[in-house]
Amino acid sequence: MNSIHVTRRGFLRASAGALLAGSASAGPERRRNVLFIAVDDLNHSLGCYGHRVARTPNIDRLAGSGIRFDRAYCQYPVCNPSRSSLLSGLRPDSTGIFDNETRFRSRLPDVVTLPQLFREAGYVTARMGKIFHTAGEFDDPKAWDTTFDPRPTAIGRKGQGRNLTGGQVKWCHWLAAAGKDEDQPDGQLAAEAIRLLEQNCDRPFFLGLGFHKPHDPFIAPKRYFDLYPLDQLTPPLVPQDASL
């Protein structure tokens, strides 16, 4: 069997091009919508990959109805370089972005990003949550018609938890929060995305839906913590000869 090497840029361009070409030939009324989902810091600790503890029924159903990649790799072990690479189709050594402080437009002022490509093709483009590194100066105004950045409610900030560093690092903490899903940004993102998907749009849309968790701080409604009773969990063992 002959092997074929496909670059990230080629894959993104080919995928988007196939959608846009098919849309054009079928007419505006038959253009396919695109739902692009990003989940911050999610790895393969999922039921669909055989994890024995993680309960991920919704992602498992999504994997069961689509294609699951067994050899997928992150472009870079830091958020901003990885996202800039994925959305531009360029490797980090081409973007020149290797940290979380560099705005990608400062290095790539003329690059056409994936959502921008759809916008220029007449799609309505919406960003909900984290698609590029963060909202504000790290986002890409050229890419979106509309954006949505939720915040936790007052009750969603309450609950049982603690800082894992004694307060030295503010973001390194967990919280079994009071309230429901809609009291947390990710719950609000899901609800808003469903609302948009249920609308009868007169133009096709590209929806970038970026969930914040499981990125730290580890905050979620208490009912999700209750799915994993501590007395039933076995911590991973570190081999005695492992170098730390």
Side-chain angles (χ1 to χ4, degrees):
M1 180 180 296
N2 295 328
S3 62
I4 300 176
H5 177 71
V6 181
T7 65
R8 292 178 180 84
R9 186 178 182 88
F11 175 78
L12 289 173
R13 290 290 183 181
S15 300
L19 277 171
L20 295 173
S23 297
S25 61
E29 69 280 5
R30 297 185 59 187
R31 281 188 168 188
R32 294 184 178 183
N33 295 320
V34 179
L35 174 59
F36 180 91
I37 301 176
V39 187
D40 211 351
D41 270 13
L42 182 68
N43 58 25
H44 65 288
S45 297
L46 301 166
C48 58
Y49 283 100
H51 198 279
R52 297 180 180 179
V53 178
R55 300 184 182 184
T56 55
N58 294 320
I59 290 181
D60 296 347
R61 283 195 294 269
L62 183 62
S65 63
I67 298 175
R68 188 195 69 186
F69 290 94
D70 291 326
R71 297 190 63 183
Y73 301 92
C74 181
Q75 289 92 319
Y76 203 80
V78 180
C79 184
N80 186 36
S82 183
R83 289 173 181 266
S84 298
S85 175
L86 174 65
L87 293 164
S88 68
L90 298 170
R91 294 180 181 274
D93 55 355
S94 295
T95 66
I97 300 171
F98 303 103
D99 56 45
N100 282 341
E101 285 71 46
T102 303
R103 291 176 292 174
F104 88 94
R105 279 296 179 196
S106 68
R107 297 293 181 88
L108 305 169
D110 300 320
V111 72
V112 177
T113 62
L114 180 62
Q116 181 186 353
L117 183 67
F118 280 89
R119 189 184 189 191
E120 293 178 354
Y123 276 62
V124 175
T125 57
R127 175 187 61 77
M128 297 182 179
K130 187 177 180 183
I131 299 297
F132 290 91
H133 179 42
T134 59
E137 62 181 7
F138 284 92
D139 201 6
D140 184 21
K142 296 181 180 180
W144 312 113
D145 291 303
T146 183
T147 60
F148 177 65
D149 295 293
R151 296 290 183 269
T153 66
I155 191 173
R157 300 176 188 272
K158 300 178 181 179
Q160 179 185 2
R162 69 181 179 89
N163 188 287
L164 304 178
T165 66
Q168 296 184 29
V169 181
K170 292 183 179 180
W171 49 260
C172 191
H173 71 274
W174 63 271
L175 179 70
K180 301 179 180 180
D181 288 351
E182 290 74 16
D183 292 296
Q184 297 299 329
D186 280 354
Q188 297 168 29
L189 287 171
E192 182 66 13
I194 292 172
R195 186 192 67 79
L196 188 148
L197 291 171
E198 290 177 342
Q199 286 182 340
N200 294 318
C201 298
D202 57 354
R203 286 196 291 165
F205 62 80
F206 178 101
L207 169 58
L209 179 58
F211 292 105
H212 301 90
K213 306 304 177 187
H215 195 290
D216 49 42
F218 308 110
I219 302 173
K222 182 178 180 298
R223 69 186 183 93
Y224 293 107
F225 285 84
D226 293 340
L227 294 173
Y228 306 95
L230 293 179
D231 59 355
Q232 298 180 22
L233 296 179
T234 302
L237 299 177
V238 179
Q240 293 182 355
D241 59 347
S243 55
L244 302 177

